[in-house]
């Protein structure tokens, strides 16, 4: 049964005491993942086991025991992300374009990257998409082990701030004709500006007064 309680998923998982312990949990995770159609990754706390084990199944099945991201790119990519614990929900997240991961059950460092390295074969869209999914997924699952959900990584586009504040008709503004300066209400300044003889100064004062 997949855990959907955000409070339970916010707990940091404890390290496995041995690789053997982690492998047993990993097998259970892969079995649970097979039962969940459409899933590409699963963390132990998502099935109620508070241990640092997760699995990824995009290119090939990968079990990670006590995984840790030891290096990551500064470059990010925006990814539409879902989660088996929050079925039916999808949000935009920002993920690192590549990460290096150490895990107790792998002797060498694992490298996950969105880059398609088929330079001789040319661009392979299918492989590129799989690599992007795998790279985002491994970050997603390790986040779970740290008590972090995709909602904590939501990418929200900040609204663009106006370079010049919006001026109301009754706001007082400073206008100039090059030699003389006046401070008047904007509605009275409009005809002067439209005549071509006056223009708004760089300084606007007494807004909304």
């Amino acid at each position: 049964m997949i855990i959907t309680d955000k409070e339970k998923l916010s707990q940091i998982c404890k390290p496995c005491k041995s690789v053997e312990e982690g492998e047993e949990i990993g097998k259970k995770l892969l079995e649970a993942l097979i039962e969940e159609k459409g899933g590409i990754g699963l963390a132990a706390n998502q099935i109620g086991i508070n241990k640092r084990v997760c699995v990824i199944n995009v290119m090939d099945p990968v079990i990670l025991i006590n995984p840790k991201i030891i290096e990551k790119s500064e470059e990010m990519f925006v990814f539409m992300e879902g989660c088996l614990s929050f079925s039916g929900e999808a949000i935009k997240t920002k993920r690192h374009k590549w990460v290096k991961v150490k895990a107790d059950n792998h002797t060498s460092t694992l490298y996950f990257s969105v880059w398609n390295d088929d330079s001789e074969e040319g661009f392979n869209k299918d492989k590129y998409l799989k690599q992007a999914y795998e790279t985002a997924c491994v970050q997603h699952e390790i986040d779970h082990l740290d008590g972090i959900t995709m909602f904590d990584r939501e990418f929200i586009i900040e609204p663009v701030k106006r370079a010049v504040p919006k001026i109301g008709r009754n706001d007082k503004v400073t206008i100039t004709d090059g030699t003389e300066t006046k401070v008047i209400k904007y509605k009275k300044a409009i005809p002067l500006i439209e005549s071509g003889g006056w223009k708004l100064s760089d300084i606007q004062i007494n807004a909304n007064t």
Side-chain angles (χ1 to χ4, degrees):
M1 183 177 178
I2 302 296
I3 302 298
T4 59
D5 189 327
K6 287 185 181 179
E7 187 174 342
K8 290 182 179 179
L9 293 172
S10 67
Q11 298 175 10
I12 299 175
C13 294
K14 298 178 180 178
C16 290
K17 295 181 180 178
S18 67
V19 170
E20 290 74 24
E21 178 189 17
E23 287 175 342
E24 288 300 315
I25 296 171
K27 290 177 183 177
K28 292 180 181 179
L29 286 170
L30 286 175
E31 290 172 358
L33 192 58
I34 291 171
E35 293 177 4
E36 297 292 331
K37 295 181 180 179
I40 60 173
L42 197 63
N45 57 348
Q46 289 181 274
I47 60 170
I49 301 175
N50 188 32
K51 290 290 184 176
R52 291 191 68 82
V53 184
C54 63
V55 297
I56 316 297
N57 189 15
V58 181
M59 310 282 274
D60 296 295
V62 179
I63 297 174
L64 299 174
I65 300 169
N66 296 335
K68 183 179 180 182
I69 295 175
I70 60 170
E71 194 175 345
K72 56 195 175 186
S73 69
E74 292 184 3
E75 294 175 297
M76 311 287 280
F77 71 106
V78 178
F79 190 77
M80 184 59 73
E81 203 158 312
C83 182
L84 290 175
S85 290
F86 308 106
S87 180
E89 297 193 58
I91 63 168
K92 287 183 179 179
T93 62
K94 285 191 79 173
R95 295 294 183 181
H96 299 281
K97 285 190 173 181
W98 60 261
V99 293
K100 292 182 180 181
V101 177
K102 286 285 288 183
D104 289 356
N105 58 321
H106 293 272
T107 55
S108 60
T109 300
L110 301 178
Y111 179 66
F112 299 89
S113 172
V114 301
W115 300 116
N116 181 15
D117 55 7
D118 293 340
S119 55
E120 295 182 2
E121 301 175 19
F123 180 75
N124 185 319
K125 182 178 179 180
D126 183 59
K127 186 175 181 181
Y128 173 80
L129 289 173
K130 285 182 178 180
Q131 287 177 170
Y133 274 103
E134 189 175 60
T135 302
C137 185
V138 71
Q139 295 174 67
H140 178 111
E141 301 310 332
I142 292 176
D143 268 354
H144 268 306
L145 304 181
D146 293 328
I148 299 169
T149 71
M150 66 179 186
F151 300 107
D152 300 310
R153 302 290 191 192
E154 185 173 6
F155 174 57
I156 300 174
I157 299 175
E158 296 292 334
V160 177
K161 293 182 179 180
R162 291 177 179 269
V164 179
K166 185 177 180 180
I167 304 172
R169 287 180 59 80
N170 290 316
D171 289 341
K172 289 182 180 179
V173 296
T174 302
I175 60 173
T176 180
D177 65 355
T179 57
E180 184 183 355
T181 299
K182 294 182 178 182
V183 179
I184 58 177
K185 287 186 178 182
Y186 183 54
K187 63 184 178 182
K188 293 182 178 180
I190 292 174
L192 296 174
I193 294 170
E194 290 178 345
S195 71
W198 294 78
K199 65 179 181 178
L200 279 173
S201 170
D202 291 337
I203 303 172
Q204 176 193 335
I205 65 172
N206 299 331
N208 298 319
T209 59

